[in-house]
Amino acid sequence: MRYLLRRMSQMIVLLMGVSILTFLFSTLAPGNYFDEMRLNPQISAATLASLRAQYDLDRPLPWRYARWVKSVAHGELGYSFAYNSPVAPLLWIRARNTLLLTLTAMLLAWGLALPLGIWSAESSGHLADRFISLATATLLVIPELVLALGLLILAARSGWFPTGGMVSVGFAELPQLGKLRDLAMHMALPVSALVLSALPVLVRHVRAAVAEAMGAPFFRATVAHGIPRGRLLYRYALRAAANPLISLLGFSVGALLSGSLLVEMVMSWPGLGPLLLEAILARDLYVVIGGVLFSTIFLVCGNFIADLLLYWADPRIRAGGNAR
């Protein structure tokens, strides 16, 4: 329990540090949202001064940070200049779309990586292992942008999948099953791009962890007892290889909001990626800060979930925590 409390306090300190640095760097960047309005002769200097005062841009930096922290306490995360509304609802709507995409891709990637990695470790040096190693090495050298563009070209030429957006124009008039099918068709390309980019790393980690467990003395002893091969691999070898895989799972959870930004922008998926790009280009300060904070929260929570799973799965960690 002391270990978990210490980890939670570290998470709070980390979030505070990230918020301060993000606020500082975003504020120190040249220009602001209202600079382009100066080029419009119909907008007077008094109007610009009034807008800057309305959003506290004429106040010192510590004052603005304190006001922003107060808005965070109220669940607003600041106020968007471009949308004229609190930041939190804007981010939450886009975050749901991103999570729908990335959570599906993460489950598919792990669901494929576990059996492929175990199969590759079991057939080490054989044709199956060489084929999986070649395929993962090929995917590793292909940038995520190239994968996304290649899938878009394939969809545009074949007409099998929609080439952008989240739903079709007449989505509201479709029956329930039709809506699910339409959503699944729009998700197919971005999910495929995310799975293909994440799968090689996951397969190689699973293979390495399982191969190390298979070389341990306990595994050779269980083989001598005549236990079926499938049971050996999935019940004993995979469990012994769980620690590094649990840590990798934590990183996968932590990247749920930040790992798909490029794919979303290329494939016009209405998630956090396009929103943050627009906010950065428009210097919509609090939307950028809120997006970074959302991603940091997921990263911290992913690592915390990994810590909890490791604490539950490995008695050595529990013994070490109790000893302290």
Side-chain angles (χ1 to χ4, degrees):
M1 182 61 68
R2 189 180 306 171
Y3 170 78
L4 297 178
L5 291 176
R6 186 173 69 251
R7 291 293 293 162
M8 292 183 67
S9 63
Q10 291 173 352
M11 290 166 52
I12 294 173
V13 172
L14 177 62
L15 287 175
M16 291 180 61
V18 169
S19 69
I20 292 173
L21 290 176
T22 306
F23 196 93
L24 178 63
F25 293 150
S26 301
T27 305
L28 293 180
N32 59 64
Y33 180 79
F34 302 105
D35 279 351
E36 293 185 4
M37 294 184 180
R38 297 176 182 175
L39 304 177
N40 190 342
Q42 296 180 350
I43 301 178
S44 65
T47 302
L48 288 174
S50 176
L51 288 172
R52 287 177 58 84
Q54 178 181 347
Y55 291 100
D56 293 330
L57 293 180
D58 59 340
R59 296 278 190 167
L61 183 60
W63 170 275
R64 281 182 279 163
Y65 181 75
R67 287 292 300 271
W68 179 77
V69 171
K70 183 178 178 181
S71 73
V72 171
H74 287 89
E76 296 177 349
L77 293 179
Y79 214 75
S80 170
F81 305 146
Y83 292 90
N84 195 30
S85 69
V87 170
L90 294 174
L91 291 177
W92 174 240
I93 293 173
R94 296 299 189 98
R96 286 186 304 179
N97 298 339
T98 296
L99 288 175
L100 175 64
L101 194 68
T102 54
L103 189 58
T104 304
M106 187 191 77
L107 293 176
L108 284 175
W110 275 96
L112 292 172
L114 287 174
L116 286 176
I118 294 173
W119 184 29
S120 180
E122 182 188 13
S123 57
S124 178
H126 294 81
L127 182 61
D129 179 42
R130 293 176 182 176
F131 176 76
I132 294 174
S133 299
L134 177 62
T136 54
T138 303
L139 288 174
L140 274 175
V141 301
I142 301 177
E144 191 177 48
L145 177 62
V146 175
L147 281 174
L149 291 175
L151 290 172
L152 277 179
I153 293 172
L154 175 64
R157 291 186 176 180
S158 64
W160 295 339
F161 299 100
T163 56
M166 184 174 175
V167 293
S168 300
V169 176
F171 180 80
E173 286 76 26
L174 293 174
Q176 195 65 32
L177 288 178
K179 290 181 178 180
L180 292 175
R181 182 181 180 278
D182 184 72
L183 179 61
M185 294 295 288
H186 281 82
M187 289 177 60
L189 290 183
V191 166
S192 298
L194 293 174
V195 170
L196 289 175
S197 62
L199 191 60
V201 177
L202 297 181
V203 169
R204 290 186 167 224
H205 277 81
V206 172
R207 183 195 182 283
V210 173
E212 183 180 358
M214 290 175 63
F218 86 91
F219 190 83
R220 292 194 295 268
T222 54
V223 171
H225 282 79
I227 300 176
R229 191 74 173 174
R231 185 179 178 187
L232 282 176
L233 290 171
Y234 286 92
R235 182 170 180 178
Y236 296 103
L238 186 59
R239 184 172 182 179
N243 279 19
L245 300 183
I246 288 174
S247 299
L248 187 60
L249 177 63
F251 284 112
S252 298
V253 174
L256 283 177
L257 281 186
S258 58
S260 64
L261 302 185
L262 179 61
V263 171
E264 288 177 0
M265 290 185 287
V266 171
M267 297 192 172
S268 302
W269 183 266
L272 278 179
L275 178 66
L276 290 181
L277 178 62
E278 294 171 3
I280 291 170
L281 295 177
R283 300 181 181 89
D284 200 352
L285 172 66
Y286 297 112
V287 175
V288 176
I289 296 173
V292 173
L293 192 64
F294 261 42
S295 300
T296 306
I297 289 173
F298 264 78
L299 181 61
V300 170
C301 289
N303 281 278
F304 185 63
I305 291 172
D307 286 344
L308 290 178
L309 291 175
L310 285 171
Y311 190 82
W312 169 75
D314 195 337
R316 295 171 297 179
I317 298 177
R318 294 196 297 273
N322 292 334
R324 287 191 293 270

